[in-house]
Amino acid sequence: MTDSPFTFNLVDAPWIPCIPATGGTEELSLREALLRSHHLRAIAGDSPLVTAALYRLLLAILHRVFGPQNADVWAGLWKAKSWDETALNRYLDTWKPRFDLFDAEHPFYQSPDKRVKPKSTINLSHDRASGNNPTLFDHHTEEMGETLTPAQAARFLLTAQAYGLAGLSGIKQTFTDGTLASGIVFLLQGDTLRQTLLLNMLPYPPDNDLFSVQDEDDHPAWEMDDPFTPNRAIPFGYLDYLTWQNRKVLFLPERINGATVVRKMTMGPGLRYDPSVLDPMKNYRIHEKLGPLAYSFSEDRVFWRDSAALFAFKGELAKKAIPPATLRWLQHLIEETSALKQHQMYRLLAIGMSKKQAKVYFFRQEQLPVPLDYLTDEDLVHALDAALNVAGTVAFDLLQAARLTGMHRQLPVVEQKWQKQWAQLSANAKSDINNWIAHTGMERAYWSGLDLPFQSFIVALARDKESAVAEWSAQLRKAALDAFRLTTASLGSDARAFKAQVAGEGYLHYRLSKIFENHEKETAHEA
């Protein structure tokens, strides 16, 4: 029993925003969300980061209760209609006191830090203006403060532990990045919340190639009397990692007009995570000198440009990337059990943020349809990679065409060997042309014009490669010409502008013909 005058127990109090099968949203308790997960569609957090943090919490609980120890156990869970209610209730009831947000001895996911002074709970969220953060969506500020319900406080607490950023803390010890602060979390989504959770469950304990560290002392944070002892950078295992305590947060609840609210807290630095331990839900590219680096969202790069790396299990691609361990495990399940079928299609949810040091620029949630064929068909993955490379080549030649247009617009004479002339231009002349191209938004227009076509292409490619590649080529041509014409619309209507546009568009048509002629030859040769 708790001696605190406040209580909000996450096991039975509603706080997890879920989407029922009938639509809308509904806040459910931990117990309800798990036991009703076969009737729910998904989790719908206040932000993409909250959504990812909530999924990770539910996964930690399910791993603790159900394992699964191996592929056969996983297949049995998949074939069952729902979770074992008795096993789940037994676990939640056993540890229920540790899930009280305001427990006097072990408040959920919290720890006191006497070295720091109370501050506004606004510091928990990246979408609020505090410290170095600009206001992204919400218009509260640190000076104004904010008032959180216990349900909101619980969700933001989970998110702060996972997505905390390095920076000053007000004391000698500094904050460090949380486990999810960098990179993109990939979650394969099923038809129900229960399917989604299972599709992202590794075997537990995991093999070393799925998660590199595993100790018999591995426990989730709420089962530890002191999750900060011993002080460590390497987690005990996967459960410790999923519930990693990056911050020492302690809520200071109040009662206003009869309702419990949270406006103040203390927050100090917690465990420092060693990024050499790779996250099983992230996708990594292999840098020659720095080793594995997590793919991240970029304002100037659509995330699906790197989608072939998600399935780089074999061959040359495997030398350049490390796919999410969750997808590697699903590949094993398809090959070793009958639970999953190769031609089934699910959706891949990608969640992450763009940040530099302690400043967040944006956070994002994207979806990509994924036929499971990509997990087992190496030729299909190579076809996807080739198609993405062609898209990159078109983007390069689109830029070249725009530069040629800019040269005709700004220089008195453009030589026949204009690429050589470009290389010899002064830095200022190049900068003027490149700044004009950037101002038009040409590259962004090109890639955004391919967003919807790519969603169709990645599905069609797994069904009929030849027709899918032909349609993709047509979409690339259209996107490039549309983006080029958007760029040249700002040139004006005089004779010189017309000549510049004709020269640039002529070069673009020439290059597109060459690109697709070569691609068709390569595709025919591979076939």
Side-chain angles (χ1 to χ4, degrees), residues 140-394:
H140 288 84
T141 65
E142 194 164 9
E143 291 74 20
M144 293 168 54
E146 68 175 348
T147 300
L148 301 178
T149 66
Q152 290 174 318
R155 297 194 295 268
F156 294 164
L157 173 63
L158 277 176
T159 310
Q161 294 286 18
Y163 285 95
L165 296 178
L168 299 177
S169 66
I171 57 177
K172 186 176 181 180
Q173 185 182 349
T174 58
F175 287 121
T176 57
D177 280 353
T179 55
L180 301 187
S182 298
I184 302 173
V185 169
F186 291 95
L187 290 157
L188 200 64
Q189 292 187 296
D191 297 327
T192 66
L193 174 58
R194 184 176 185 276
Q195 282 191 0
T196 296
L197 291 167
L198 264 169
L199 287 169
N200 294 281
M201 283 182 73
L202 298 174
Y204 185 83
D207 296 333
N208 285 341
D209 62 333
L210 296 175
F211 190 70
S212 60
V213 291
Q214 190 62 43
D215 188 277
E216 62 182 10
D217 289 332
D218 184 35
H219 294 86
W222 55 82
E223 291 189 21
M224 304 180 194
D225 290 335
D226 181 1
F228 300 97
T229 302
N231 187 19
R232 60 198 180 281
I234 302 294
F236 294 128
Y238 193 38
L239 298 179
D240 186 19
Y241 176 74
L242 285 175
T243 60
W244 190 254
Q245 300 294 284
N246 181 249
R247 300 286 197 263
K248 290 184 176 180
V249 177
L250 184 64
F251 288 139
L252 306 175
E254 310 169 50
R255 203 173 303 280
I256 298 179
N257 297 327
T260 299
V261 298
V262 182
R263 296 189 299 176
K264 295 289 184 180
M265 66 176 182
T266 57
M267 182 166 66
L271 295 172
R272 292 172 174 262
Y273 166 65
D274 186 338
S276 67
V277 179
L278 303 188
D279 191 295
M281 297 181 191
K282 293 181 184 178
N283 192 23
Y284 295 86
R285 62 184 177 90
I286 301 176
H287 189 279
E288 185 177 346
K289 295 182 179 179
L290 302 177
L293 298 176
Y295 284 99
S296 298
F297 281 123
S298 168
E299 188 174 7
D300 300 322
R301 187 179 178 90
V302 291
F303 91 101
W304 51 259
R305 288 178 65 180
D306 303 308
S307 54
L310 290 164
F311 317 111
F313 304 122
K314 300 176 182 178
E316 289 300 312
L317 284 176
K319 299 176 183 178
K320 303 175 184 178
I322 302 175
T326 46
L327 295 184
R328 285 186 276 135
W329 169 243
L330 289 179
Q331 179 200 38
H332 175 76
L333 290 171
I334 293 171
E335 293 175 342
E336 299 298 325
T337 75
S338 61
L340 294 174
K341 306 301 181 184
Q342 183 174 350
H343 302 300
Q344 285 177 296
M345 187 175 74
Y346 295 108
R347 297 169 304 280
L348 195 62
L349 183 65
I351 296 175
M353 63 183 179
S354 174
K355 55 97 175 178
K356 185 175 182 180
Q357 296 177 341
K359 185 175 182 179
V360 176
Y361 293 98
F362 65 83
F363 45 82
R364 184 175 295 167
Q365 176 175 304
E366 302 277 0
Q367 282 195 13
L368 191 67
V370 175
L372 294 190
D373 305 69
Y374 284 95
L375 301 182
T376 56
D377 189 338
E378 185 179 353
D379 291 338
L380 180 61
V381 177
H382 281 292
L384 175 64
D385 185 53
L388 292 170
N389 287 336
V390 172
T393 301
V394 171

Side-chain angles (χ1 to χ4, degrees), residues 68-137:
Q69 185 177 358
N70 52 46
D72 289 337
V73 175
W74 189 98
L77 292 172
W78 180 260
K79 292 175 183 177
K81 293 182 178 180
S82 60
W83 301 111
D84 183 332
E85 185 173 339
T86 300
L88 260 177
N89 281 332
R90 183 188 305 118
Y91 181 80
L92 292 175
D93 289 339
T94 297
W95 292 100
K96 185 175 179 178
R98 297 289 180 94
F99 284 93
D100 194 320
L101 198 63
F102 305 125
D103 186 79
E105 188 175 357
H106 294 288
F108 177 77
Y109 257 48
Q110 296 164 76
S111 240
D113 192 333
K114 296 180 180 179
R115 301 171 298 171
V116 295
K117 297 179 180 179
K119 61 172 67 176
S120 170
T121 53
I122 205 167
N123 291 271
L124 285 173
S125 306
H126 294 320
D127 57 343
R128 269 75 163 168
S130 64
N132 292 330
N133 280 346
T135 301
L136 296 181
F137 302 109

Side-chain angles (χ1 to χ4, degrees), residues 390-403:
V390 172
T393 301
V394 171
F396 173 79
D397 282 313
L398 174 62
L399 175 61
Q400 293 294 88
R403 284 176 173 172

Side-chain angles (χ1 to χ4, degrees), residues 13 19 29 61 76 146 233 287 291 297 302 373 416 434 461 498 521:
I19 302 176
S29 67
I61 294 172
E146 68 175 348
H287 189 279
F297 281 123
V302 291
D373 305 69
Q416 187 174 2
N434 285 334
L461 187 65
F498 179 72
K521 288 180 180 178

